[in-house]
Amino acid sequence: MGEGYISYTKNNGEIMKKQLASFDEEELLECEKFRTFLMMIAVGGFLGAYTFNLKGGVFCNAQTANFVMLALQLGERNWRKALYYVIPITAYLLGAVLSEFLPKKINKFEVLRWDTAFVAFEMMSLLALGFVPDNAPSQICQVSINFIASMQYNTFRQAKRVPMATTFCTNHLRQIGISLVKWLHHGDRGCRDRLFMHMLMLISFVGGGIVSTVLCLHFKGKAIWGAEVLLLIVFVDLLHADLSYEKDKLHVVPHGH
């Protein structure tokens, strides 16, 4: 049993090493390239800092806190307050449903990929949110970003065939720990590469949050337009791919979908 386990881990390590080594050589869709994910998670960090700084002190990119608050209010029999938390949870759910349904409809026209269309939609949404007055209810921005973050998370799933989240950090931190142990224990180069990928994702998220915080201090609600710069870079790359070297791949489904 022990020998079998050792053989198994060695074989797995060799397979992972070969897979990661071939990532630079194989063709990936533009929406699967690592630089795209670095930009998108920076947007995630930007939006997280924005809603925390200016829109109610909440983090709208994920729903764990909302479920905790829902449970607390239900436990205290505050039915009306509990119902309030159903709103952002529903918005997040709707974002996941639409981002799962729409790609099949959009990609079949073979004009633009869903990934490109979504980034354009996110840009327009953030542009509109920048015009919302600072004294308007924070819930307008919160629920909108709940919806957008869900769609972003569900749209961008794997970079270089490695599962990645672009709206929160928990799994990246976990994967850093796992990859570090495997690298140090087995000397697995593939795990080392994954370790640095996840570390760069975390750094990019924090960088987006730092920029957002600085802009919020100076521009208040209109600071959200700062995320448009990152999204524009991603959009131009994706659009260029759709109209040129990936024109014959508009039907191809990204890995992880």
Side-chain angles (χ1 to χ4, degrees):
M1 180 175 176
E3 292 179 359
Y5 174 76
I6 292 172
S7 174
Y8 174 78
T9 55
K10 284 183 177 179
N11 290 337
N12 270 6
E14 289 300 319
I15 292 172
M16 183 182 294
K17 189 184 296 183
K18 290 178 181 178
Q19 287 176 336
L20 289 174
S22 67
F23 282 155
D24 293 332
E25 300 174 4
E26 71 173 343
E27 287 190 34
L28 293 166
L29 295 172
E30 191 66 35
C31 61
E32 296 176 292
K33 292 181 179 178
F34 189 54
R35 65 172 180 266
T36 298
F37 277 71
L38 287 177
M39 291 286 184
M40 294 307 295
I41 198 171
V43 172
F46 191 104
L47 295 179
Y50 178 82
T51 56
F52 188 85
N53 284 319
L54 299 179
K55 303 299 177 181
V58 297
F59 180 58
C60 295
N61 294 19
Q63 293 302 298
T64 302
N66 283 328
F67 274 101
V68 170
M69 294 305 299
L70 174 65
L72 288 174
Q73 298 304 328
L74 289 174
E76 295 175 0
R77 299 183 181 181
N78 295 325
W79 313 121
R80 184 173 296 181
K81 289 184 178 180
L83 184 61
Y84 165 78
Y85 290 102
V86 174
I87 298 173
I89 290 171
T90 302
Y92 201 92
L93 175 62
L94 181 60
V97 170
L98 287 178
S99 60
E100 191 68 23
F101 171 76
L102 290 177
K104 299 176 179 63
K105 299 295 182 181
I106 291 178
N107 289 349
K108 74 176 183 179
F109 291 108
E110 297 193 0
V111 177
L112 294 176
R113 296 186 59 82
W114 158 251
D115 319 85
T116 310
F118 165 70
V119 173
F121 168 76
E122 186 167 0
M123 291 175 65
M124 291 186 290
S125 299
L126 300 189
L127 179 65
L129 288 175
F131 286 108
V132 176
D134 290 337
N135 59 356
S138 298
Q139 290 81 0
I140 296 173
C141 184
Q142 290 173 4
V143 172
S144 298
I145 292 181
N146 286 146
F147 179 72
I148 293 167
S150 175
M151 297 184 81
Q152 179 177 314
Y153 174 45
N154 197 41
T155 297
F156 295 93
R157 300 185 187 180
Q158 289 192 12
K160 299 173 70 172
R161 293 194 180 182
V162 178
M164 295 282 178
T166 62
T167 56
F168 52 85
C169 298
T170 306
N171 190 55
H172 293 297
L173 196 59
R174 169 179 171 268
Q175 291 297 335
I176 287 173
I178 293 171
S179 299
L180 178 62
V181 171
K182 289 184 177 180
W183 176 33
L184 294 177
H185 187 64
H186 301 294
D188 191 329
R189 184 177 176 181
C191 289
R192 184 202 65 180
D193 292 344
R194 287 192 178 215
L195 168 67
F196 287 117
M197 286 177 69
H198 288 290
M199 286 181 65
L200 286 173
M201 290 290 279
L202 286 184
I203 292 171
S204 187
F205 185 94
V206 172
I210 292 172
V211 173
S212 177
T213 299
V214 172
L215 293 180
C216 286
L217 291 173
H218 292 88
F219 301 104
K220 301 301 179 183
K222 289 181 172 50
I224 199 170
W225 290 342
E228 299 280 24
V229 178
L230 297 169
L231 289 170
L232 180 61
I233 295 172
V234 175
F235 177 73
V236 169
D237 285 344
L238 295 179
L239 182 63
H240 175 62
D242 289 350
L243 299 179
S244 56
Y245 57 90
E246 287 184 3
K247 192 172 183 179
D248 60 340
K249 297 181 180 179
L250 296 176
H251 62 286
V252 177
V253 179
H255 295 97
H257 286 259

